[in-house]
Amino acid sequence: MNKEEIKEKFRFNPENYREAGNSDFELILSTVNSIVPPSEKFMEEAAVYCDSLCKPLGSLGVLENMYVRISGIFDGKIPRKFKKAVIVYSADNGICEEGISSNPQEVTERICHNILKGTSGLCRLSEFYGAEVFLEDLGVINDIEGHTAYKINRGSRNSAAGPALTLNEAIEGIAAGIKTAEKLIRDGYNLIGAGEMGVGNTATSSTVLSVITGNRSETTTGYGSGLTKEDYGKKIETVRKAAETNAPYKDVLDVMAKVGGLDICAMAGCYLACAAKKIPFILDGVISMAAMMCASLFSEQVKSYGFSSHRTVEKGARLTEELLEINPPLDLMMRLGEGSGCPPAMNLMEASVFTLGSMATFEDVAVDKNDYVDIRKGEKNHEENV
C-alpha cells in the first residue's frame, strides 16, 4: 500500500471506541487534538538566515535542514543548549512462545538491570553525549523494582494465537508514554529519545508493519538480535501467522492491541506527547519506526517533530523510512536497540544549533553572496529531469 492507502485504512478513528471512554483514552484524544504543525513562518526565516551565512549556499546540508526545523518547532526561540533524555520502555512479548528469539525471555529483566547500572550500550553512549537515561517497566515478567509506576501486565499474550493486548491495555500503554514524556518535559527536558527493551520486540514490530503496510512478512522481518537461517524462516512464518490470526483490523489502535507490544504503544504515546508540547524527539531503530508509523496514524503532524538518527539494517525500518519520507543522517551499521541511536543524533542536532547559530554572515566577512552559485537549484532541476 502507498501512504494514502495506509492512512485511509488505518487512521485512528475514535468512533470505533465509544465504550473506551476512560481517563487514559481521553488523554490520548486531547493529546492528539492539541498537535499543531511547527511554524512555517519561523522555518522560512531560518532558511533565509542560513543562506545569509558565509558559506556556499546549502553546503551544511542536513545540519541546515535540522536548524530550520528546530526553529519552526521552537517558534524561532532555539535553545542554546538542550537538556536531553532517553526513556526506555520495557516489556516482555508473548510471541516468544513461538521460539522466534535466540535469547531466553529472562534476558529482558537482565538487560533492564544492566541499563539501570549504567553499563549498557545505550548508557555508555548517553554518558558520552551528555544525555540522561530513564527506564519504565510496563510489562516485564518480573518487576523491575522502583520502576513500575506505569506497570500494566507481566508480558503480553502470544499474538500468533490471538490478541497480544486487550484494548484497555493498549490504551494504558499509549497513555503511559504520554504521561512519562510529559513529566520529562515538565522537568525541563527539551530533546527526548524513546528506546525499548523486550525480547521478541523485533517480531512484534515486524508484525505491526506488515499489517499496516500490507507487505508480506518476508519484507518487514529482519534478523533482530541474531538468528540462524532456519530460525529466521520460523520468525517470518510467525509474523505472517500473527498478522493473519488477528485480522481484520479496525484502525491503528486495533493493530497495536492485537499484534503490538507495550513498548511500541508507549513509544508512540511519547512521540504524540512531544509533538503536542512542541518538543523535538529522536527515533532509533525498527521498534521506534513501528511506533512512529503508529503515531503518524493518530496525527499526521507528529512526524514534523521527529528526527531520525541512524539507518538500521532491519528491513522493516527501511520500509518505514521510505513510506514516512525519513532520511537518517547517520549510517553506523547499528542494530542494538534500547534507544542507542538517539544520543549521537542529539549531538548532531546540538552541532547544528551551535554552528549555524554562531557563524559569520556574508556581510560580516565582506563577501558577496552573489559570487556563489546555489547548486541546490541545479541539483533539483537535474533530479526532475532524470
Side-chain angles (χ1 to χ4, degrees), residues 82-107:
F82 288 104
K83 187 176 181 183
K84 302 169 287 184
V86 180
I87 182 164
V88 180
Y89 297 107
S90 303
D92 278 305
N93 298 281
I95 199 170
C96 288
E97 291 176 9
E98 300 293 315
I100 45 77
S101 176
S102 60
N103 298 124
Q105 201 143 26
E106 56 265 27
V107 166

Side-chain angles (χ1 to χ4, degrees), residues 271-293:
Y271 301 153
L272 292 171
C274 288
K277 299 295 183 182
K278 301 198 76 174
I279 294 293
F281 62 86
I282 308 292
L283 299 162
D284 185 31
V286 67
I287 297 96
S288 73
M289 297 300 282
M292 181 65 182
M293 175 66 81

Side-chain angles (χ1 to χ4, degrees), residues 37 40 44 69 101 103 122 130 178 190-191 202 249 288 292 318 330 346 373:
E40 288 286 345
E44 289 170 5
R69 289 182 61 199
S101 176
N103 298 124
L122 163 67
I178 293 172
N190 56 5
L191 183 54
T202 59
Y249 302 91
S288 73
M292 181 65 182
R318 295 288 181 90
L330 302 171
M346 290 173 168
V373 174

Side-chain angles (χ1 to χ4, degrees), residues 259-314:
V259 298
L262 289 169
D263 49 0
I264 296 173
C265 292
M267 293 171 86
C270 175
Y271 301 153
L272 292 171
C274 288
K277 299 295 183 182
K278 301 198 76 174
I279 294 293
F281 62 86
I282 308 292
L283 299 162
D284 185 31
V286 67
I287 297 96
S288 73
M289 297 300 282
M292 181 65 182
M293 175 66 81
C294 292
S296 71
L297 290 165
F298 281 85
S299 169
E300 201 169 356
Q301 290 300 334
V302 72
K303 194 183 83 167
S304 303
Y305 295 86
F307 291 78
S308 182
S309 56
H310 68 108
R311 191 177 300 282
T312 176
V313 298
E314 284 288 306

Side-chain angles (χ1 to χ4, degrees), residues 61-262:
V62 170
L63 296 182
E64 294 188 42
N65 297 338
M66 284 183 173
Y67 188 89
V68 168
R69 289 182 61 199
I70 293 166
S71 184
I73 289 170
F74 288 104
D75 291 335
K77 301 179 181 66
I78 300 176
R80 301 304 294 178
K81 188 172 179 59
F82 288 104
K83 187 176 181 183
K84 302 169 287 184
V86 180
I87 182 164
V88 180
Y89 297 107
S90 303
D92 278 305
N93 298 281
I95 199 170
C96 288
E97 291 176 9
E98 300 293 315
I100 45 77
S101 176
S102 60
N103 298 124
Q105 201 143 26
E106 56 265 27
V107 166
T108 299
E109 179 186 1
R110 292 175 186 170
I111 299 298
C112 284
H113 287 298
N114 193 36
I115 290 170
L116 293 175
K117 284 194 298 184
T119 48
S120 76
L122 163 67
C123 294
R124 305 319 298 150
L125 282 165
S126 294
E127 182 169 341
F128 183 82
Y129 286 112
E132 294 182 65
V133 176
F134 300 86
L135 184 139
E136 293 292 341
D137 169 10
L138 303 180
V140 181
I141 291 172
N142 294 317
D143 287 351
I144 308 300
E145 292 185 15
H147 300 269
T148 58
Y150 299 95
K151 186 96 175 196
I152 296 166
N153 61 18
R154 297 179 184 277
S156 62
R157 298 159 198 86
N158 182 0
S159 57
L165 304 168
T166 66
L167 173 62
N168 281 338
E169 285 169 343
I171 289 170
E172 284 183 68
I174 297 168
I178 293 172
K179 292 171 186 175
T180 49
E182 287 183 341
K183 183 180 186 305
L184 289 174
I185 294 166
R186 287 195 300 272
D187 290 342
Y189 293 92
N190 56 5
L191 183 54
I192 294 173
E196 35 59 40
M197 184 57 229
V199 173
N201 60 9
T202 59
T204 56
S205 302
S206 299
T207 312
V208 167
L209 291 173
S210 186
V211 171
I212 290 177
T213 67
N215 278 273
R216 294 167 60 88
S217 56
E218 291 91 338
T219 306
T220 64
T221 307
Y223 277 81
S225 58
L227 294 168
T228 64
K229 192 169 184 179
E230 180 182 350
D231 287 341
Y232 176 54
K234 186 175 184 179
K235 183 178 179 182
I236 289 172
E237 176 58 23
T238 300
V239 167
R240 183 199 63 75
K241 182 180 175 184
E244 292 180 357
T245 295
N246 290 284
Y249 302 91
K250 297 177 185 176
D251 63 5
V252 63
L253 178 55
D254 197 34
V255 175
M256 295 166 81
K258 287 179 174 177
V259 298
L262 289 169

